[in-house]
């Protein structure tokens, strides 16, 4: 995604571009056009940039995660998502829409079934994330 590319390069898009990207991502996520990797990459990008997703995008991502996207994630996607939420939380930037027991519990349940397939880095990131997030 464009956000992922910006985060990988360490620079946030211009404000108007960020608004447009968030609006488009919120629409895609709300319409069910975001797959688990899209959700993971988007949240990772926001955490890497230190910028919280806006309310509409946060709500759409929270709904996707709680309604099955977390359970469908590959181990690395799950680890990345948990890390992103914890990173935003520890910075005081996690939107309320994503700071819910439903989201955290969905991640916990998904991790319980995929932990056997996580590599060392994914396991460490997930453990760190869960030590920071509370359901």
């Amino acid at each position: 995604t464009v956000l992922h590319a910006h985060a990988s390069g360490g620079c946030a898009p211009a404000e108007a571009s960020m608004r447009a990207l968030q609006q488009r991502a919120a629409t895609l996520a709300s319409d069910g056009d975001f797959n688990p990797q899209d959700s993971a990459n988007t949240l990772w990008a926001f955490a890497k940039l230190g910028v919280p997703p806006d309310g509409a995008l946060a709500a759409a991502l929270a709904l996707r995660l709680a309604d099955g996207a977390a359970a469908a994630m590959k181990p690395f996607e799950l680890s990345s998502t948990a890390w992103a939420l914890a990173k935003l939380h520890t910075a005081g930037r996690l939107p309320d829409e994503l700071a819910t027991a439903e989201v955290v519990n969905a991640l916990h349940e998904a991790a319980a079934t995929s932990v056997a397939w996580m590599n060392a880095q994914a396991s460490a990131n997930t453990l760190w994330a869960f030590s920071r997030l509370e359901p």
Side-chain angles (χ1 to χ4, degrees), residues 96-123:
D96 290 342
E97 295 87 350
L98 286 163
T100 66
E102 292 81 9
V103 170
V104 175
N105 287 338
L107 293 173
H108 281 196
E109 290 171 16
T113 61
S114 67
V115 69
W117 294 278
M118 287 185 181
N119 64 23
Q121 184 68 54
S123 296

Side-chain angles (χ1 to χ4, degrees), residues 9 11 21 24-25 28 51 60 78 86 88 94-95 98-99 105 116 132-134:
C11 65
L21 289 167
R24 182 65 180 144
L28 291 170
V51 176
L78 178 64
L88 288 167
L94 183 64
L98 286 163
N105 287 338
R132 301 300 188 269
L133 294 171
E134 296 184 22

Side-chain angles (χ1 to χ4, degrees), residues 3-43:
L3 282 172
H4 192 272
H6 275 279
S8 294
C11 65
E15 188 176 329
S17 295
M18 179 65 94
R19 268 194 313 276
L21 289 167
Q22 289 199 64
Q23 289 172 349
R24 182 65 180 144
T27 298
L28 291 170
S30 294
D31 291 347
D33 290 332
F34 249 37
N35 64 36
Q37 183 179 357
D38 295 330
S39 297
N41 287 349
T42 299
L43 285 167

